[in-house]
């Protein structure tokens, strides 16, 4: 869902920083994804929920990368982040990094992940929870090895 540029002030910046083709996160199974006030609102209704960003068929700078975002909610037991470096690989068979659980789901977590990829990333999957619940994600940013923003939502 495209945010109202006047409401968030971020739409123009996202277009400038996104890889060719305007790749946007999409909901995975058991997930409802909406954009409100410049933040991704996720509602999980079952097992294995999350979002997927798929750069297959799109240009994107090579790694290594740093991924960062702010998250509220999710699962106190944690979640998972997956990424692929092979166009044919599915995310759950890619590299897996744990998302640490958070005792207070009403407070924001600042999350950063080093993705030590020498080539390029093809898919990124963020699973903030293992089952039903809610999460809010904002300031989702992928940076290159020099700290330059490649894409931001």
């Amino acid at each position: 869902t495209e945010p109202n540029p006047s409401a968030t002030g971020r739409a123009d910046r996202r277009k400038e920083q996104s890889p060719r083709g305007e790749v946007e996160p999409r909901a995975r199974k058991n997930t409802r994804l909406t954009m409100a006030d410049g933040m991704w609102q996720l509602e999980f209704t079952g097992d294995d929920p999350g979002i997927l960003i798929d750069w297959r068929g799109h240009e994107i700078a090579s790694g290594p990368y740093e991924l960062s975002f702010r998250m509220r909610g999710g699962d106190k037991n944690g979640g998972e982040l997956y990424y692929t470096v092979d166009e044919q690989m599915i995310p759950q068979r890619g590299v897996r990094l744990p998302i640490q659980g958070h005792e207070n789901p009403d407070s924001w977590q600042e999350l950063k992940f080093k993705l030590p990829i020498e080539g390029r990333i093809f898919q990124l999957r963020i699973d903030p929870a293992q089952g039903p619940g809610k999460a809010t994600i904002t300031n989702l940013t992928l940076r290159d090895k020099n700290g330059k923003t490649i894409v931001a939502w």
Side-chain angles (χ1 to χ4, degrees), residues 1-61:
T1 306
E2 186 69 23
N4 176 345
S6 62
T8 66
R10 295 178 52 127
D12 291 337
R13 188 176 68 122
R14 273 201 343 252
K15 281 188 188 274
E16 291 171 8
Q17 295 173 343
S18 291
R20 185 174 54 88
E22 190 65 31
V23 176
E24 292 284 338
R26 67 175 173 83
R28 287 193 20 81
K29 69 177 187 173
N30 300 320
T31 304
R32 184 172 158 255
L33 175 64
T34 56
M35 170 67 91
D37 299 323
M39 295 182 269
W40 294 105
Q41 307 291 330
L42 293 86
E43 185 174 344
F44 316 125
T45 58
D47 292 340
D48 208 19
I51 59 174
L52 178 71
I53 305 167
D54 189 347
W55 287 286
R56 292 175 300 174
H58 299 276
E59 294 175 15
I60 188 166

Side-chain angles (χ1 to χ4, degrees), residues 3-149:
N4 176 345
S6 62
T8 66
R10 295 178 52 127
D12 291 337
R13 188 176 68 122
R14 273 201 343 252
K15 281 188 188 274
E16 291 171 8
Q17 295 173 343
S18 291
R20 185 174 54 88
E22 190 65 31
V23 176
E24 292 284 338
R26 67 175 173 83
R28 287 193 20 81
K29 69 177 187 173
N30 300 320
T31 304
R32 184 172 158 255
L33 175 64
T34 56
M35 170 67 91
D37 299 323
M39 295 182 269
W40 294 105
Q41 307 291 330
L42 293 86
E43 185 174 344
F44 316 125
T45 58
D47 292 340
D48 208 19
I51 59 174
L52 178 71
I53 305 167
D54 189 347
W55 287 286
R56 292 175 300 174
H58 299 276
E59 294 175 15
I60 188 166
S62 295
Y65 307 105
E66 179 184 87
L67 176 74
S68 62
F69 57 94
R70 295 181 72 221
M71 184 173 78
R72 181 175 56 205
D75 191 326
K76 70 177 185 175
N77 296 318
E80 298 167 319
L81 180 140
Y82 299 90
Y83 64 89
T84 64
V85 295
D86 178 331
E87 192 168 8
Q88 303 303 315
M89 187 176 289
I90 59 174
Q92 52 270 41
R93 299 218 190 270
V95 178
R96 178 193 169 277
L97 300 173
I99 297 175
Q100 295 301 313
H102 195 37
E103 288 302 316
N104 184 356
D106 293 329
S107 65
W108 288 98
Q109 286 180 288
E110 302 283 339
L111 300 166
K112 287 188 179 183
F113 300 90
K114 298 285 186 190
L115 311 181
I117 301 167
E118 290 304 318
R120 58 157 292 176
I121 192 169
F122 285 93
Q123 294 181 85
L124 174 68
R125 176 176 149 183
I126 302 171
D127 295 358
Q130 303 297 318
K134 293 181 180 183
T136 302
I137 294 177
T138 188
N139 299 335
L140 181 58
T141 305
L142 186 67
R143 291 182 178 83
D144 69 11
K145 64 184 172 191
N146 300 313
K148 181 181 178 211
T149 299

